[in-house]
Amino acid sequence: MNKEEILAKSRQENKNRDVAEISQTKDASRFAIIFSLAFYLIFSTLTMIAHKPFNSSIAAMETCVMFAVYLYKSIKTRKSEHIVCAVLIGAAFLMFSFVAIMDLFKK
């Protein structure tokens, strides 16, 4: 293969996106997940310190993001560890969502 063929194949694989841009987007996504998880942990800790009821809707939103990440990974890679994480986090997401919906409609 010559240089032009390699470049054409690379462009086709990356759909004409810059490799640095793809890497930056992945890093930004990872940072966003870690940042939101840190916020969730801090907020949950402050809720316990203030002796207030647990806010399950925030837990549902956080687990929804993590579930989406691992569901995508498990579909793309079919690795058993990603599938297990997707199932476990999916179960937590369903549980928190159920509790949040029950709290929402509680009279």
Side-chain angles (χ1 to χ4, degrees), residues 7-104:
L7 286 173
K9 187 175 180 179
S10 175
R11 285 187 192 107
Q12 184 182 11
E13 288 175 359
N14 294 319
K15 299 176 185 169
N16 289 327
R17 291 179 25 197
D18 186 20
V19 175
E21 179 186 334
I22 293 169
S23 177
Q24 188 178 29
T25 302
K26 286 181 183 179
D27 291 343
S29 299
R30 188 176 301 116
F31 176 77
I33 290 171
I34 292 169
F35 188 81
S36 65
L37 184 58
F39 171 77
Y40 167 67
L41 292 173
I42 291 168
F43 187 80
S44 297
T45 302
L46 291 173
T47 301
M48 287 188 289
I49 291 171
H51 301 290
K52 299 290 183 182
F54 180 70
N55 192 338
S56 55
S57 60
I58 292 178
M61 284 187 272
E62 183 62 36
T63 54
C64 178
V65 171
M66 293 173 20
F67 172 61
V69 168
Y70 279 104
L71 181 64
Y72 181 84
K73 283 183 177 182
S74 66
I75 290 170
K76 287 293 186 181
T77 64
R78 301 204 186 269
K79 289 184 179 179
S80 60
E81 59 266 20
H82 293 159
I83 294 170
V84 169
C85 285
V87 168
L88 292 174
I89 295 172
F93 168 61
L94 289 175
M95 180 189 68
F96 286 132
S97 297
F98 177 76
V99 172
I101 291 169
M102 294 302 290
D103 285 344
L104 183 65

